[in-house]
């Protein structure tokens, strides 16, 4: 019964203490990518989605409720207000 437990499908919440977090910072903060250089590369290559659409802007401001997808993982941004 373990065949369908795909680890990457789990949604992870990242709590921020500001109004927004930039996309490359989120990828680093979430521990998915070790460095800003890696984050920049995967974003540039179109491997990252924001709310289901490919996002090529590493400086994109992500606000509470937005969902980032990369490599089968989903990360939802939440802040203290909700």
């Amino acid at each position: 019964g373990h065949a369908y437990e795909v680890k990457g499908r789990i949604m992870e919440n990242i709590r921020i203490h500001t109004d927004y977090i930039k996309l490359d910072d989120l990828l680093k903060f979430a521990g998915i990518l070790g460095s800003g250089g890696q984050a920049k590369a995967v974003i540039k290559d179109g491997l990252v989605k924001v709310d289901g659409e490919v996002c090529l802007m590493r400086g994109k401001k992500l606000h509470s409720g937005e969902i980032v997808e990369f490599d089968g993982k989903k990360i939802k941004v939440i802040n203290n207000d909700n």
Side-chain angles (χ1 to χ4, degrees), residues 19-32:
D19 284 343
Y20 65 87
I21 185 170
K22 291 183 179 170
L23 183 55
D24 56 353
D25 289 335
L26 179 78
L27 293 175
K28 285 184 287 182
F29 188 58
I32 292 176

Side-chain angles (χ1 to χ4, degrees), residues 43-62:
I43 294 165
K44 200 181 88 185
D45 289 346
L47 302 177
V48 179
K49 291 182 178 179
V50 176
D51 283 346
E53 297 199 2
V54 171
C55 179
L56 300 175
M57 292 166 37
R58 65 191 172 106
K60 178 171 173 62
K61 295 176 181 179
L62 304 171

Side-chain angles (χ1 to χ4, degrees), residues 2-21:
H2 288 282
Y4 298 105
E5 289 180 23
V6 180
K7 217 176 177 181
R9 297 272 166 93
I10 294 169
M11 174 98 71
E12 186 181 349
N13 290 335
I14 292 287
R15 188 175 291 280
I16 60 172
H17 301 283
T18 50
D19 284 343
Y20 65 87
I21 185 170

Side-chain angles (χ1 to χ4, degrees), residues 32-43:
I32 292 176
L33 297 165
S35 72
Q38 282 178 301
K40 184 177 168 184
V42 298
I43 294 165

